[in-house]
Amino acid sequence: MPLVPTGGIVLGAREAGTGAGAFNVVQIEHAQAIVAGAEAAGRSVILQISENTARYHGSLEPIALATLATARRASVPVAVHLDHAEAPDLVHEAVRLGFGSVMFDASKLPYEENVAATRETTAYCHRHDVWVEAELGEVGGKDGAHAPGVRTDPDEAREFVAATGVDALAVAVGSSHAMLTRDAVLDFALVSRLRDTVPVPLVLHGSSGVGDVDLSWAVNAGMTKVNVSTHLNKAFTRAVRDHLAEHAGTVDPRRYLGPARTAVADAVTHLLGILAAEAPLLRT
């Protein structure tokens, strides 16, 4: 199955009324696990590499090439996306490497500066047939830089999309990055207002803090692309800890990274099923 454009996955999900799962890659085991989980679910998936992860690996290229190679070997449609990039040079590198989309995050800037920077980046990416996601209304928890109480204004969001030409918009509706508990309280009424006001697909960041039932309701209310990172890292780390607790003498990392990879694959399969399911009649 060839690598596919991100836009095809996201727009297909929106048309079907389902959610497009977008999962963050930290190392090659994550990429392998996410693809395996998607294959088990029989669903398309988006692999995401963040600017922080590129920095961890010393540069974008090593982890990007491994992720792109993993995506190309998949039996289901897979796209590769650059997540939370603040540096234009990193965006340009992702485009050169063959990413299908980038998330350019200028949300720390004042509104007019955010618009100008995002518009310039979008124009560059569109010249290379690359989708652009941006953020308006800060999503909490990202390195302390965002205010969790902020919410995206629908009218401002519509104006922002028109002024920048972005293809998808990450909005602040109550979730927060890096949550370790799944008890975020989403504003579903706001999600629906944004869906009715903004012409492009909406993106939910901080989805690790949202429980299964509310993820279904978020998609039902109007979210399309759903980003997950911390939830997978929790599953990964828990599997490593469990293995080492039972096998204290283990020194071969494959012995504990293998179970961690399987745990992430299982979590991805489960979440993709949640995003494809109809929302329950009642939230719990």
PDB file of all heavy atoms in Angstrom, residues 143-166:
ATOM      1  N   ASP A 143       4.149  22.187  27.335  1.00  0.00           N
ATOM      2  CA  ASP A 143       5.346  22.807  27.904  1.00  0.00           C
ATOM      3  C   ASP A 143       5.036  24.072  28.691  1.00  0.00           C
ATOM      4  O   ASP A 143       5.840  24.999  28.755  1.00  0.00           O
ATOM      5  CB  ASP A 143       6.357  23.122  26.797  1.00  0.00           C
ATOM      6  CG  ASP A 143       6.830  21.863  26.095  1.00  0.00           C
ATOM      7  OD1 ASP A 143       6.836  20.798  26.741  1.00  0.00           O
ATOM      8  OD2 ASP A 143       7.193  21.941  24.912  1.00  0.00           O
ATOM      9  N   GLY A 144       3.855  24.155  29.271  1.00  0.00           N
ATOM     10  CA  GLY A 144       3.502  25.312  30.076  1.00  0.00           C
ATOM     11  C   GLY A 144       3.235  26.571  29.288  1.00  0.00           C
ATOM     12  O   GLY A 144       3.046  27.643  29.853  1.00  0.00           O
ATOM     13  N   ALA A 145       3.212  26.472  27.968  1.00  0.00           N
ATOM     14  CA  ALA A 145       3.101  27.670  27.143  1.00  0.00           C
ATOM     15  C   ALA A 145       1.664  28.074  26.873  1.00  0.00           C
ATOM     16  O   ALA A 145       1.403  29.190  26.445  1.00  0.00           O
ATOM     17  CB  ALA A 145       3.812  27.447  25.803  1.00  0.00           C
ATOM     18  N   HIS A 146       0.730  27.154  27.110  1.00  0.00           N
ATOM     19  CA  HIS A 146      -0.658  27.410  26.762  1.00  0.00           C
ATOM     20  C   HIS A 146      -1.535  27.519  28.001  1.00  0.00           C
ATOM     21  O   HIS A 146      -1.282  26.893  29.019  1.00  0.00           O
ATOM     22  CB  HIS A 146      -1.188  26.296  25.861  1.00  0.00           C
ATOM     23  CG  HIS A 146      -0.418  26.160  24.581  1.00  0.00           C
ATOM     24  ND1 HIS A 146      -0.477  27.080  23.565  1.00  0.00           N
ATOM     25  CD2 HIS A 146       0.442  25.215  24.164  1.00  0.00           C
ATOM     26  CE1 HIS A 146       0.297  26.693  22.575  1.00  0.00           C
ATOM     27  NE2 HIS A 146       0.870  25.573  22.916  1.00  0.00           N
ATOM     28  N   ALA A 147      -2.573  28.282  27.885  1.00  0.00           N
ATOM     29  CA  ALA A 147      -3.504  28.469  29.004  1.00  0.00           C
ATOM     30  C   ALA A 147      -4.678  27.509  28.849  1.00  0.00           C
ATOM     31  O   ALA A 147      -5.435  27.612  27.883  1.00  0.00           O
ATOM     32  CB  ALA A 147      -4.004  29.912  29.025  1.00  0.00           C
ATOM     33  N   PRO A 148      -4.871  26.556  29.771  1.00  0.00           N
ATOM     34  CA  PRO A 148      -5.918  25.555  29.613  1.00  0.00           C
ATOM     35  C   PRO A 148      -7.325  26.119  29.515  1.00  0.00           C
ATOM     36  O   PRO A 148      -8.204  25.472  28.974  1.00  0.00           O
ATOM     37  CB  PRO A 148      -5.761  24.684  30.872  1.00  0.00           C
ATOM     38  CG  PRO A 148      -4.350  24.872  31.277  1.00  0.00           C
ATOM     39  CD  PRO A 148      -4.024  26.298  30.935  1.00  0.00           C
ATOM     40  N   GLY A 149      -7.564  27.312  30.050  1.00  0.00           N
ATOM     41  CA  GLY A 149      -8.914  27.863  30.039  1.00  0.00           C
ATOM     42  C   GLY A 149      -9.320  28.511  28.735  1.00  0.00           C
ATOM     43  O   GLY A 149     -10.483  28.875  28.554  1.00  0.00           O
ATOM     44  N   VAL A 150      -8.394  28.663  27.803  1.00  0.00           N
ATOM     45  CA  VAL A 150      -8.694  29.337  26.548  1.00  0.00           C
ATOM     46  C   VAL A 150      -9.623  28.471  25.694  1.00  0.00           C
ATOM     47  O   VAL A 150      -9.501  27.254  25.671  1.00  0.00           O
ATOM     48  CB  VAL A 150      -7.393  29.654  25.785  1.00  0.00           C
ATOM     49  CG1 VAL A 150      -7.679  30.160  24.374  1.00  0.00           C
ATOM     50  CG2 VAL A 150      -6.576  30.681  26.558  1.00  0.00           C
ATOM     51  N   ARG A 151     -10.554  29.098  24.992  1.00  0.00           N
ATOM     52  CA  ARG A 151     -11.422  28.394  24.057  1.00  0.00           C
ATOM     53  C   ARG A 151     -11.382  29.107  22.706  1.00  0.00           C
ATOM     54  O   ARG A 151     -11.229  30.322  22.638  1.00  0.00           O
ATOM     55  CB  ARG A 151     -12.875  28.357  24.567  1.00  0.00           C
ATOM     56  CG  ARG A 151     -13.062  27.584  25.863  1.00  0.00           C
ATOM     57  CD  ARG A 151     -12.862  26.094  25.659  1.00  0.00           C
ATOM     58  NE  ARG A 151     -13.083  25.349  26.900  1.00  0.00           N
ATOM     59  CZ  ARG A 151     -12.146  25.067  27.789  1.00  0.00           C
ATOM     60  NH1 ARG A 151     -10.899  25.495  27.587  1.00  0.00           N
ATOM     61  NH2 ARG A 151     -12.414  24.370  28.866  1.00  0.00           N
ATOM     62  N   THR A 152     -11.543  28.347  21.645  1.00  0.00           N
ATOM     63  CA  THR A 152     -11.539  28.913  20.304  1.00  0.00           C
ATOM     64  C   THR A 152     -12.885  29.565  20.006  1.00  0.00           C
ATOM     65  O   THR A 152     -13.932  28.948  20.199  1.00  0.00           O
ATOM     66  CB  THR A 152     -11.246  27.823  19.262  1.00  0.00           C
ATOM     67  OG1 THR A 152      -9.982  27.237  19.551  1.00  0.00           O
ATOM     68  CG2 THR A 152     -11.215  28.411  17.859  1.00  0.00           C
ATOM     69  N   ASP A 153     -12.839  30.791  19.518  1.00  0.00           N
ATOM     70  CA  ASP A 153     -14.051  31.502  19.126  1.00  0.00           C
ATOM     71  C   ASP A 153     -14.422  31.107  17.689  1.00  0.00           C
ATOM     72  O   ASP A 153     -13.596  31.222  16.780  1.00  0.00           O
ATOM     73  CB  ASP A 153     -13.826  33.009  19.207  1.00  0.00           C
ATOM     74  CG  ASP A 153     -15.028  33.784  18.717  1.00  0.00           C
ATOM     75  OD1 ASP A 153     -16.000  33.908  19.477  1.00  0.00           O
ATOM     76  OD2 ASP A 153     -15.002  34.260  17.556  1.00  0.00           O
ATOM     77  N   PRO A 154     -15.640  30.635  17.439  1.00  0.00           N
ATOM     78  CA  PRO A 154     -16.008  30.162  16.096  1.00  0.00           C
ATOM     79  C   PRO A 154     -15.866  31.220  15.001  1.00  0.00           C
ATOM     80  O   PRO A 154     -15.388  30.916  13.900  1.00  0.00           O
ATOM     81  CB  PRO A 154     -17.473  29.729  16.264  1.00  0.00           C
ATOM     82  CG  PRO A 154     -17.576  29.335  17.706  1.00  0.00           C
ATOM     83  CD  PRO A 154     -16.696  30.321  18.434  1.00  0.00           C
ATOM     84  N   ASP A 155     -16.281  32.453  15.277  1.00  0.00           N
ATOM     85  CA  ASP A 155     -16.180  33.488  14.251  1.00  0.00           C
ATOM     86  C   ASP A 155     -14.727  33.815  13.935  1.00  0.00           C
ATOM     87  O   ASP A 155     -14.352  33.996  12.766  1.00  0.00           O
ATOM     88  CB  ASP A 155     -16.927  34.746  14.699  1.00  0.00           C
ATOM     89  CG  ASP A 155     -18.439  34.538  14.775  1.00  0.00           C
ATOM     90  OD1 ASP A 155     -18.954  33.702  13.992  1.00  0.00           O
ATOM     91  OD2 ASP A 155     -19.090  35.175  15.617  1.00  0.00           O
ATOM     92  N   GLU A 156     -13.901  33.886  14.968  1.00  0.00           N
ATOM     93  CA  GLU A 156     -12.483  34.132  14.742  1.00  0.00           C
ATOM     94  C   GLU A 156     -11.850  32.967  13.984  1.00  0.00           C
ATOM     95  O   GLU A 156     -10.989  33.166  13.123  1.00  0.00           O
ATOM     96  CB  GLU A 156     -11.770  34.353  16.076  1.00  0.00           C
ATOM     97  CG  GLU A 156     -10.325  34.809  15.930  1.00  0.00           C
ATOM     98  CD  GLU A 156      -9.681  35.116  17.274  1.00  0.00           C
ATOM     99  OE1 GLU A 156      -9.610  34.190  18.132  1.00  0.00           O
ATOM    100  OE2 GLU A 156      -9.267  36.263  17.479  1.00  0.00           O
ATOM    101  N   ALA A 157     -12.291  31.748  14.295  1.00  0.00           N
ATOM    102  CA  ALA A 157     -11.770  30.572  13.604  1.00  0.00           C
ATOM    103  C   ALA A 157     -12.096  30.624  12.115  1.00  0.00           C
ATOM    104  O   ALA A 157     -11.250  30.315  11.264  1.00  0.00           O
ATOM    105  CB  ALA A 157     -12.347  29.306  14.232  1.00  0.00           C
ATOM    106  N   ARG A 158     -13.324  31.003  11.788  1.00  0.00           N
ATOM    107  CA  ARG A 158     -13.714  31.114  10.378  1.00  0.00           C
ATOM    108  C   ARG A 158     -12.859  32.156   9.662  1.00  0.00           C
ATOM    109  O   ARG A 158     -12.368  31.929   8.549  1.00  0.00           O
ATOM    110  CB  ARG A 158     -15.195  31.477  10.271  1.00  0.00           C
ATOM    111  CG  ARG A 158     -15.702  31.604   8.826  1.00  0.00           C
ATOM    112  CD  ARG A 158     -17.158  32.042   8.789  1.00  0.00           C
ATOM    113  NE  ARG A 158     -17.340  33.297   9.491  1.00  0.00           N
ATOM    114  CZ  ARG A 158     -18.323  33.539  10.363  1.00  0.00           C
ATOM    115  NH1 ARG A 158     -19.213  32.598  10.638  1.00  0.00           N
ATOM    116  NH2 ARG A 158     -18.412  34.716  10.943  1.00  0.00           N
ATOM    117  N   GLU A 159     -12.639  33.290  10.316  1.00  0.00           N
ATOM    118  CA  GLU A 159     -11.819  34.347   9.720  1.00  0.00           C
ATOM    119  C   GLU A 159     -10.375  33.893   9.553  1.00  0.00           C
ATOM    120  O   GLU A 159      -9.723  34.201   8.546  1.00  0.00           O
ATOM    121  CB  GLU A 159     -11.885  35.601  10.597  1.00  0.00           C
ATOM    122  CG  GLU A 159     -13.264  36.245  10.643  1.00  0.00           C
ATOM    123  CD  GLU A 159     -13.361  37.322  11.719  1.00  0.00           C
ATOM    124  OE1 GLU A 159     -12.330  37.580  12.393  1.00  0.00           O
ATOM    125  OE2 GLU A 159     -14.456  37.892  11.889  1.00  0.00           O
ATOM    126  N   PHE A 160      -9.878  33.147  10.543  1.00  0.00           N
ATOM    127  CA  PHE A 160      -8.495  32.661  10.497  1.00  0.00           C
ATOM    128  C   PHE A 160      -8.301  31.714   9.315  1.00  0.00           C
ATOM    129  O   PHE A 160      -7.307  31.810   8.579  1.00  0.00           O
ATOM    130  CB  PHE A 160      -8.166  31.956  11.812  1.00  0.00           C
ATOM    131  CG  PHE A 160      -6.769  31.422  11.906  1.00  0.00           C
ATOM    132  CD1 PHE A 160      -5.729  32.239  12.310  1.00  0.00           C
ATOM    133  CD2 PHE A 160      -6.493  30.090  11.607  1.00  0.00           C
ATOM    134  CE1 PHE A 160      -4.433  31.747  12.411  1.00  0.00           C
ATOM    135  CE2 PHE A 160      -5.207  29.589  11.707  1.00  0.00           C
ATOM    136  CZ  PHE A 160      -4.179  30.422  12.107  1.00  0.00           C
ATOM    137  N   VAL A 161      -9.220  30.785   9.118  1.00  0.00           N
ATOM    138  CA  VAL A 161      -9.123  29.843   8.008  1.00  0.00           C
ATOM    139  C   VAL A 161      -9.168  30.586   6.675  1.00  0.00           C
ATOM    140  O   VAL A 161      -8.379  30.294   5.759  1.00  0.00           O
ATOM    141  CB  VAL A 161     -10.240  28.787   8.101  1.00  0.00           C
ATOM    142  CG1 VAL A 161     -10.322  27.965   6.821  1.00  0.00           C
ATOM    143  CG2 VAL A 161     -10.016  27.880   9.304  1.00  0.00           C
ATOM    144  N   ALA A 162     -10.062  31.563   6.568  1.00  0.00           N
ATOM    145  CA  ALA A 162     -10.156  32.332   5.331  1.00  0.00           C
ATOM    146  C   ALA A 162      -8.883  33.130   5.062  1.00  0.00           C
ATOM    147  O   ALA A 162      -8.425  33.250   3.919  1.00  0.00           O
ATOM    148  CB  ALA A 162     -11.358  33.274   5.392  1.00  0.00           C
ATOM    149  N   ALA A 163      -8.280  33.662   6.111  1.00  0.00           N
ATOM    150  CA  ALA A 163      -7.095  34.508   5.952  1.00  0.00           C
ATOM    151  C   ALA A 163      -5.830  33.704   5.687  1.00  0.00           C
ATOM    152  O   ALA A 163      -4.893  34.223   5.068  1.00  0.00           O
ATOM    153  CB  ALA A 163      -6.900  35.355   7.205  1.00  0.00           C
ATOM    154  N   THR A 164      -5.780  32.468   6.140  1.00  0.00           N
ATOM    155  CA  THR A 164      -4.550  31.683   6.025  1.00  0.00           C
ATOM    156  C   THR A 164      -4.602  30.602   4.957  1.00  0.00           C
ATOM    157  O   THR A 164      -3.569  30.176   4.455  1.00  0.00           O
ATOM    158  CB  THR A 164      -4.223  30.994   7.365  1.00  0.00           C
ATOM    159  OG1 THR A 164      -5.314  30.120   7.718  1.00  0.00           O
ATOM    160  CG2 THR A 164      -4.009  32.031   8.469  1.00  0.00           C
ATOM    161  N   GLY A 165      -5.796  30.122   4.628  1.00  0.00           N
ATOM    162  CA  GLY A 165      -5.931  29.058   3.648  1.00  0.00           C
ATOM    163  C   GLY A 165      -5.591  27.678   4.164  1.00  0.00           C
ATOM    164  O   GLY A 165      -5.367  26.750   3.377  1.00  0.00           O
ATOM    165  N   VAL A 166      -5.558  27.478   5.497  1.00  0.00           N
ATOM    166  CA  VAL A 166      -5.196  26.170   6.046  1.00  0.00           C
ATOM    167  C   VAL A 166      -6.261  25.131   5.714  1.00  0.00           C
ATOM    168  O   VAL A 166      -7.417  25.459   5.425  1.00  0.00           O
ATOM    169  CB  VAL A 166      -4.972  26.228   7.570  1.00  0.00           C
ATOM    170  CG1 VAL A 166      -3.796  27.135   7.897  1.00  0.00           C
ATOM    171  CG2 VAL A 166      -6.234  26.690   8.296  1.00  0.00           C
TER     172      VAL A 166
END
